[in-house]
Amino acid sequence: MTVRIGVIGTGMIGQDHIRRLTHVLAGGEVVAVTDTDAARAKEVAGNLKAAKACGTGQEVIDDPNVDAVLVTSWGPSHEEYVTAAIKAGKFVFCEKPLATTEQACLNILEAEVAHGKRLVQVGFMRRYDHAYRALKRTIESGEIGAPLMMTSGHRNPSVPGHYTSDMAIVDTAVHDIDIARWLLDDEISETLVIKPRQNARGGELHDPLMTILRMRGGALVNIETSVNIEYGYDIRGEIVGETGVATIAESNAVVVKTKGMFSGRVPEDWRERFIRAYDVELQEWLDATSKGTVQGPSTWDGYAATVATDAGLVALKSGAWAPVTMRDKPSLYA
Ligand code: NAD
Ligand code: ISE
């Protein structure tokens, strides 16, 4: 069965996902798109074989030809579309963050629990990356003993003009928060956000930021968020265990040695670094959707990550540890 997909948001990642759904993956076809920038949606639809440009996200969701919805619009708009897709009983893949506030995530969670069946997958693509999967296998094998500390480096060469210091936590560190929960198989109990000397390239932005998570089991996670580091998109991860250390290797395929030097490529952006992870993520989503199921990161995972980013915003302002307090986990996500 071909899953007919409606895409809400045809910006950078919307277009990248449409490219992979159309030219790389099997079992899906984009049949409708929309964007608040109507000209952009029209242009994207025009480049596809059988897609129409719709005036609104709700129109995409209501379209009887749309089996499943891909939400790739700006974070603050996710709640409206994901909730509407749940109400329509349609599977929905929502790019991270699930929503930008704890309350918005709770509203989605309550809508899905009321529906009684999982419909939502959140775009935490690191869980599909071969290096992170190898790191998880290493932890689970017991080879380095119980994990005690994790370091997560999240470096962007630059960010667009509308990017704010809050986004460094809500939009960027949210990936590290999710991957820490997943790798350590634990929830977060509190968080602290520290401001180092500011990178002059970022103007007023608090950049870099150092976010520390204390997990319920006691492990500490140290997240560096640098969003103006110029040299490339560099994602780093290391776990210190009781008897050993496991580190994500450099992502370049080739190391060049010449004239007394060695070098390798640093990815330009997330599209390059995680290209295969996005492919696996969306292929697995298509396969599950065509069978009427969902398997990837859930609404609960999206909610848990945003509870931590909300606490991170409190900690950024106060300079003190902020508690991360979650509601009980509904049995739907057991
Ligand atoms: P973008 O600014 O390039 O594109 C967003 C698009 O959404 C724009 O075309 C904008 O006009 C449209 N839009 C905004 N509000 C809308 C609304 N209410 N209805 C319909 N369209 C609307 O941004 P982007 O980089 O593509 O990011 C989009 C989402 O994807 C964000 O949630 C972001 O965090 C996420 N993202 C995830 C990854 C990842 O690695 N998983 C990478 C990049 C972006
Ligand atoms: C962007 O939205 C992403 O999700 C990228 O993966 C991340 O590295 C970047 O900082 C975000 O703005």
Side-chain angles (χ1 to χ4, degrees):
M1 166 203 165
T2 298
V3 181
R4 298 166 301 172
I5 301 154
V7 179
I8 303 177
T10 52
M12 276 199 293
I13 203 158
Q15 291 186 35
D16 199 40
H17 284 341
I18 289 171
R19 173 194 61 75
R20 61 174 44 84
L21 288 166
T22 308
H23 300 295
V24 183
L25 309 181
E29 182 175 22
V30 176
V31 297
V33 303
T34 192
D35 197 291
T36 40
D37 181 340
R40 180 179 287 168
K42 203 168 161 210
E43 190 188 335
V44 169
N47 291 328
L48 295 169
K49 215 168 43 183
K52 63 177 179 184
C54 295
T56 64
Q58 190 64 52
E59 220 181 286
V60 168
I61 293 163
D62 291 341
D63 190 328
N65 285 321
V66 167
D67 302 315
V69 181
L70 188 69
V71 177
T72 45
S73 50
W74 290 331
S77 65
H78 292 180
E79 177 193 3
E80 177 190 347
Y81 297 132
V82 176
T83 310
I86 293 170
K87 286 200 176 122
K90 294 195 177 178
F91 288 105
V92 53
F93 179 99
C94 177
E95 258 311 332
K96 47 60 59 179
L98 172 61
T100 47
T101 65
E102 173 177 350
Q103 187 56 53
C105 288
L106 263 181
N107 295 342
I108 295 172
L109 186 137
E110 277 159 15
E112 194 174 38
V113 168
H115 178 77
K117 182 184 159 204
R118 270 196 65 193
L119 291 174
V120 181
Q121 176 167 334
V122 184
F124 286 128
M125 79 300 183
R126 289 190 186 183
R127 296 183 182 209
Y128 297 86
D129 177 62
H130 64 293
Y132 277 108
R133 285 186 164 184
L135 189 56
K136 187 161 173 70
R137 281 196 299 275
T138 303
I139 298 167
E140 286 174 352
S141 72
E143 212 178 325
I144 61 167
L148 308 174
M149 291 183 287
M150 172 176 167
T151 298
S152 197
H154 192 152
R155 302 184 185 143
N156 285 239
S158 62
V159 280
H162 67 261
Y163 191 93
T164 61
S165 297
D166 283 4
M167 285 172 75
I169 296 174
V170 175
D171 202 57
T172 296
V174 70
H175 280 295
D176 308 81
I177 288 167
D178 176 68
I179 209 68
R181 290 180 61 249
W182 184 70
L183 285 171
L184 301 174
D185 195 19
D186 200 1
E187 296 295 0
I188 301 157
S189 65
E190 57 178 351
T191 182
L192 176 71
V193 179
I194 305 170
K195 292 178 258 186
R197 175 178 170 179
Q198 242 165 283
N199 183 342
R201 284 170 39 82
E204 297 299 303
L205 274 186
H206 292 310
D207 172 40
L209 281 182
M210 189 71 77
T211 300
I212 301 176
L213 312 174
R214 192 189 304 280
M215 308 305 287
R216 288 184 186 166
L220 279 184
V221 180
N222 159 12
I223 302 169
E224 170 209 324
T225 316
S226 293
V227 296
N228 280 290
I229 204 155
E230 194 179 14
Y231 77 90
Y233 184 79
D234 198 8
I235 302 298
R236 333 242 1 131
E238 182 166 277
I239 304 277
V240 177
E242 289 172 303
T243 58
V245 171
T247 309
I248 286 189
E250 295 294 343
S251 60
N252 53 296
V254 173
V255 173
V256 179
K257 292 186 182 175
T258 179
K259 298 189 175 107
M261 305 279 286
F262 68 87
S263 64
R265 182 172 167 77
V266 180
E268 196 175 308
D269 63 14
W270 39 269
R271 282 174 291 210
E272 179 180 347
R273 168 62 182 84
F274 288 108
I275 188 166
R276 279 180 291 164
Y278 296 119
D279 288 350
V280 177
E281 173 190 48
L282 279 185
Q283 186 63 65
E284 289 190 12
W285 176 69
L286 281 174
D287 294 346
T289 301
S290 67
K291 291 187 197 122
T293 61
V294 198
Q295 278 160 1
S298 67
T299 296
W300 176 258
D301 295 312
Y303 160 76
T306 297
V307 174
T309 61
D310 260 14
L313 295 181
V314 172
L316 174 64
K317 282 204 183 72
S318 70
W321 284 94
V324 176
T325 313
M326 295 200 289
R327 58 156 285 167
D328 290 341
K329 193 173 186 174
S331 56
L332 186 63
Y333 308 109

